[in-house]
C-alpha cells in the first residue's frame, strides 16, 4: 500500500503505535524504516521520506492483526492513500 505526502502523519503513527509487531516502510532502493522506533525520529523520518518518495513507498506489517488495524485506519481515512 502506498501513502500520500499530505496524509495525517500523526494520526497514522498513533495507529502504528498500537500495532504489536514491526511496521515499516520500504523505499524504492529497498531500505526499511521501522515505524515503531522513537516517535520523534519516526515523525521526522516519515516527513522526509514522504517528501522525497511519497508515491513510491510501500507499507508492510509483519503481524496480520496489525495489518488489519492499519487497513481499518486507512478505510476510515481514505485521503491518506494515494
Amino acid at each position: 500500500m502506498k501513502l500520500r505526502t499530505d496524509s495525517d502523519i500523526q494520526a497514522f503513527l498513533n495507529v502504528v503505535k498500537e500495532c504489536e509487531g514491526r511496521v515499516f516502510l520500504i523505499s524504492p532502493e529497498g531500505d526499511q524504516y521501522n515505524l515503531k522506533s522513537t516517535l520523534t525520529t519516526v515523525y521526522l523520518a516519515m516527513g522526509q521520506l514522504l517528501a522525497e518518495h511519497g508515491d513510491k513507498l510501500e507499507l508492510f506489517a509483519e503481524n496480520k492483526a496489525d495489518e488489519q488495524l492499519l487497513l481499518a485506519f486507512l478505510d476510515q481515512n481514505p485521503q491518506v492513500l494515494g
Side-chain angles (χ1 to χ4, degrees):
M1 86 185 55
K2 300 185 189 291
L3 300 174
R4 292 174 41 156
T5 57
D6 61 350
S7 65
D8 185 352
I9 294 172
Q10 187 59 51
F12 175 73
L13 288 175
N14 288 340
V15 174
V16 168
K17 196 172 166 181
E18 293 178 38
C19 294
E20 293 184 25
R22 282 187 350 132
V23 177
F24 51 97
L25 288 173
I26 298 180
S27 74
E29 294 79 23
D31 298 320
Q32 291 188 17
Y33 299 92
N34 181 0
L35 300 183
K36 303 263 319 205
S37 67
T38 306
L39 188 59
T40 303
T41 302
V42 170
Y43 188 80
L44 294 173
M46 275 194 69
Q48 183 68 27
L49 280 170
L50 292 172
E52 293 178 9
H53 304 290
D55 292 342
K56 298 175 188 144
L57 294 171
E58 294 190 47
L59 178 66
F60 293 89
E62 291 180 328
N63 183 304
K64 204 63 158 164
D66 294 343
E67 182 179 312
Q68 293 306 312
L69 185 65
L70 293 164
L71 288 172
F73 170 80
L74 293 171
D75 283 344
Q76 294 173 2
N77 299 277
Q79 74 280 3
V80 173
L81 291 176

